Amino acid sequence: MKCNWEIMEILEAYDLVGSYRKAAELAGCDHHTVRRYVELRDQGVDPTKRKPRARLIDDYMPKIEELVERSQARIGADMAHKKIVAMGYDGSERTTRKAVAAAKTSYKSGHRRVFRPWIPEPGLWLQFDWGEGPRVDGRRTQLWCAWLAWSRFRVVIPVWDKTIPTIAACLDQTFRILGGVPTNVLTDNEKTVTVDHVARIPVRNSDIAQIGRHYSTAIRTCVPADPQSKGGAESTVRLAKRDLVPTEVNLRGQYGAFAALQEAAEEFCLEVNSRVHRETRMVPAEALLEERTRLHPVPLEPFAAAFGETRRVSRDSTISVGSVRYSVPHQLVDRTVWARFHGDDMVVTAMVDGAATEVARHLRSTPGRPQILDEHYPESSRGERKARPTSREEADFLALGPEAETWLIAAASAGTSRLRSKMRAATQAAALYGAEAVRAALEAAAKAERFEEDALVQILEYQRYQSKTGVTRATEAHSLQPGTSGWASFGTPAGR
């Protein structure tokens, strides 16, 4: 068998002289060899390709192909070798492995699953999926990850659970962020969306079907193991978890509060939606403006049936559910909210900035044990009043700074007499010593509880003297302890 370059020289020699014998003389081979390679070329056959030789396993190839077909290319070469050995094959296992590999390649080429490329249209598809979020205060969180297929605009919302009311709230908030509702919403086959399959047809959850009808969109589920329909949402989940969940890769610290996780999610969405997408070469935030014209309007009211019972927030910023009072943020006073139980949690939902948002979550309690959170109320010391001036003199005194209010509260608590005259004296001292010096003196007087008539002036004089001479501190070389040198002359004529 000639090598490739020898065959090329033989064919080149024949093309030059047009004679088998003369070409054989030029190429240094037999003229029958020249004739064979020329005839192979004229027949359209590759002359450099070797003709396969007969093998011992050729007689057993039909059986190997049958085994591969029956097992759908899952049978191992060792098991196939045992079967053909029992039929009389005495060749090596290596030859069997090559034959099984070739049979599997041939089988897969005719049974390969072909994925039709998914080309999205503007305003047609929104996908969402869930990702495991970081733990906050030891509790698990979930990341709602939505993806508008055409513009590649992403929305990530941290939540506590994956229940139907949470899905309704996340859908409502997502639609309002997008500025419209797409024709279809695609998601995975979870029990909150698909309760059963009949003849491989998904049976929708009745609650999720009502939510879809409220927003005039079709809730659809993807085909299992179909990357063309599910890949976009899974990519959003992967990116969100890589950036938001603390790992050794992103070096992000643990979240001290749920609000910190929400803020991080907003920053992530702003970042990914403001940079050029690798595939579309468009900025998602700019592409959304174009796609928004193809979305239909969002209903003015959210789908509230899944949020629970309505309650009106009282003036003490609480609601009553089952004879138990639960606090909500004080900004919601006199507004209507929705309350529902989820396991051991009481969940309160309200409209915030035009979107349904979870505003409070408490542990379920019993009558007589109200659940009140301090963060739901403005910062203030209970039982203490704030100083509010009622005259020009009081306003001038309090204008000195917060130290003046601190001094006034401390002096009033101590029962100090002639407060107004002392306040007037402090205001006059500010013109002589300066407002900054008076503030420092008032702070020192309040700490030392010195409220006598000339205490403020004494403190001001001491501060001015101290600023000129500096602070004198005792060292190891000097001590105020009296010594015993006076006793040295005791008992002597000088000491008598």
Side-chain angles (χ1 to χ4, degrees):
M1 185 66 182
K2 302 290 185 181
C3 60
N4 293 345
W5 65 270
E6 290 176 330
I7 297 174
M8 292 299 101
E9 285 187 350
I10 293 173
L11 296 175
E12 183 181 359
Y14 177 79
D15 293 339
L16 179 62
V17 299
S19 172
Y20 296 137
R21 294 185 180 274
K22 294 179 180 180
E25 294 177 359
L26 291 175
C29 63
D30 189 75
H31 65 281
H32 296 290
T33 302
V34 177
R35 180 178 180 178
R36 179 162 60 88
Y37 285 125
V38 171
E39 289 178 349
L40 288 174
R41 184 180 66 175
D42 294 342
Q43 295 172 5
V45 180
D46 185 2
T48 63
K49 188 176 181 180
R50 295 176 180 268
K51 184 178 180 180
R53 296 179 299 175
R55 301 176 300 174
L56 292 176
I57 203 170
D58 288 344
D59 296 335
Y60 302 92
M61 282 303 297
K63 185 61 178 180
I64 292 177
E65 293 172 356
E66 176 192 344
L67 296 174
V68 171
E69 181 76 25
R70 285 168 52 191
S71 66
Q72 298 182 0
R74 290 184 175 87
I75 190 171
D78 52 349
M79 182 58 65
H81 182 71
K82 292 179 181 179
K83 291 182 179 297
I84 61 176
V85 166
M87 296 171 59
Y89 174 69
D90 58 354
S92 65
E93 186 177 355
R94 180 182 179 185
T95 304
T96 305
R97 291 187 180 277
K98 291 182 178 180
V100 172
K104 286 184 177 182
T105 302
S106 178
Y107 175 85
K108 292 178 180 179
S109 64
H111 297 79
R112 182 178 292 111
R113 184 180 177 185
V114 180
F115 297 99
R116 182 187 181 92
W118 186 36
I119 303 176
E121 300 178 22
L124 193 61
W125 290 98
L126 172 75
Q127 297 174 275
F128 76 84
D129 200 1
W130 296 98
E132 182 75 20
R135 288 185 175 269
V136 178
D137 293 335
R139 296 184 58 183
R140 296 175 59 185
T141 62
Q142 301 292 332
L143 297 178
W144 161 279
C145 302
W147 183 71
L148 204 54
W150 186 81
S151 63
R152 268 66 171 183
F153 192 89
R154 293 182 172 96
V155 178
V156 177
I157 304 174
V159 293
W160 290 108
D161 53 57
K162 300 191 295 183
T163 58
I164 290 289
T166 302
I167 294 177
C170 289
L171 278 174
D172 183 84
Q173 186 173 351
T174 300
F175 292 153
R176 298 185 191 279
I177 292 175
L178 299 177
V181 181
T183 304
N184 302 285
V185 175
L186 185 67
T187 184
D188 207 347
N189 290 273
E190 294 194 1
K191 289 299 182 181
T192 51
V193 180
T194 302
V195 296
D196 196 3
H197 282 82
V198 178
R200 295 192 175 183
I201 301 298
V203 180
R204 293 284 175 264
N205 189 312
S206 59
D207 294 331
I208 205 71
Q210 293 181 19
I211 295 173
R213 285 193 293 269
H214 177 80
Y215 293 102
S216 300
T217 185
I219 307 294
R220 303 184 183 276
T221 52
C222 64
V223 178
D226 183 12
Q228 292 295 323
S229 62
K230 196 64 164 51
E234 290 181 345
S235 176
T236 301
V237 172
R238 184 173 61 255
L239 290 175
K241 292 179 65 175
R242 185 186 64 185
D243 191 84
L244 298 177
V245 179
T247 60
E248 296 180 355
V249 177
N250 55 29
L251 300 180
R252 184 183 287 274
Q254 298 294 329
Y255 297 95
F258 190 73
L261 176 58
Q262 292 176 319
E263 183 179 355
E266 293 176 0
E267 294 176 355
F268 167 78
C269 294
L270 181 62
E271 178 184 356
V272 297
N273 292 325
S274 301
R275 65 190 182 195
V276 178
H277 195 272
R278 181 179 58 183
E279 183 176 348
T280 62
R281 301 299 179 184
M282 295 188 299
V283 178
E286 298 175 357
L288 176 63
L289 300 178
E290 181 179 352
E291 187 170 10
R292 190 172 289 167
T293 60
R294 305 290 296 273
L295 303 175
H296 55 266
V298 185
L300 296 179
E301 296 295 330
F303 182 81
F307 296 154
E309 302 176 351
T310 58
R311 290 291 187 273
R312 191 168 186 83
V313 181
S314 61
R315 296 189 62 182
D316 59 357
S317 189
T318 62
I319 60 174
S320 178
V321 181
S323 300
V324 180
R325 305 200 70 81
Y326 298 91
S327 65
V328 298
H330 65 91
Q331 296 87 349
L332 301 175
V333 171
D334 290 336
R335 291 178 54 184
T336 300
V337 298
W338 295 273
R340 74 180 192 275
F341 287 108
H342 173 60
D344 293 333
D345 292 342
M346 156 58 65
V347 184
V348 183
T349 305
M351 291 294 293
V352 179
D353 297 331
T357 307
E358 180 182 317
V359 294
R361 183 177 286 254
H362 299 273
L363 288 177
R364 191 168 188 168
S365 186
T366 56
R369 297 182 178 180
Q371 295 292 316
I372 308 297
L373 297 180
D374 293 337
E375 57 264 27
H376 290 162
Y377 297 88
E379 295 183 2
S380 63
S381 300
R382 190 173 182 85
E384 294 185 4
R385 292 187 177 183
K386 293 290 184 180
R388 296 181 180 178
T390 58
S391 64
R392 180 62 182 272
E393 290 183 351
E394 294 175 356
D396 292 341
F397 175 75
L398 293 175
L400 294 175
E403 294 83 1
E405 182 179 358
T406 302
W407 181 90
L408 176 60
I409 294 174
S413 300
T416 305
S417 60
R418 302 185 62 191
L419 269 179
R420 287 185 174 83
S421 64
K422 294 175 181 178
M423 292 166 55
R424 188 164 47 252
T427 305
Q428 295 172 355
L432 179 62
Y433 294 93
E436 185 176 354
V438 172
R439 285 195 295 269
L442 289 171
E443 184 179 9
K447 290 181 178 179
E449 296 184 354
R450 293 191 57 186
F451 307 116
E452 59 268 20
E453 193 68 33
D454 298 329
L456 186 63
V457 176
Q458 293 175 4
I459 294 175
L460 287 168
E461 289 294 337
Y462 171 75
Q463 289 177 346
R464 186 167 66 173
Y465 171 79
Q466 189 182 51
S467 63
K468 292 180 179 180
T469 61
V471 180
T472 303
R473 299 185 183 277
T475 63
E476 295 293 335
H478 176 75
S479 176
L480 297 179
Q481 179 70 28
T484 58
S485 58
W487 293 88
S489 58
F490 182 79
T492 62
R496 291 175 184 176

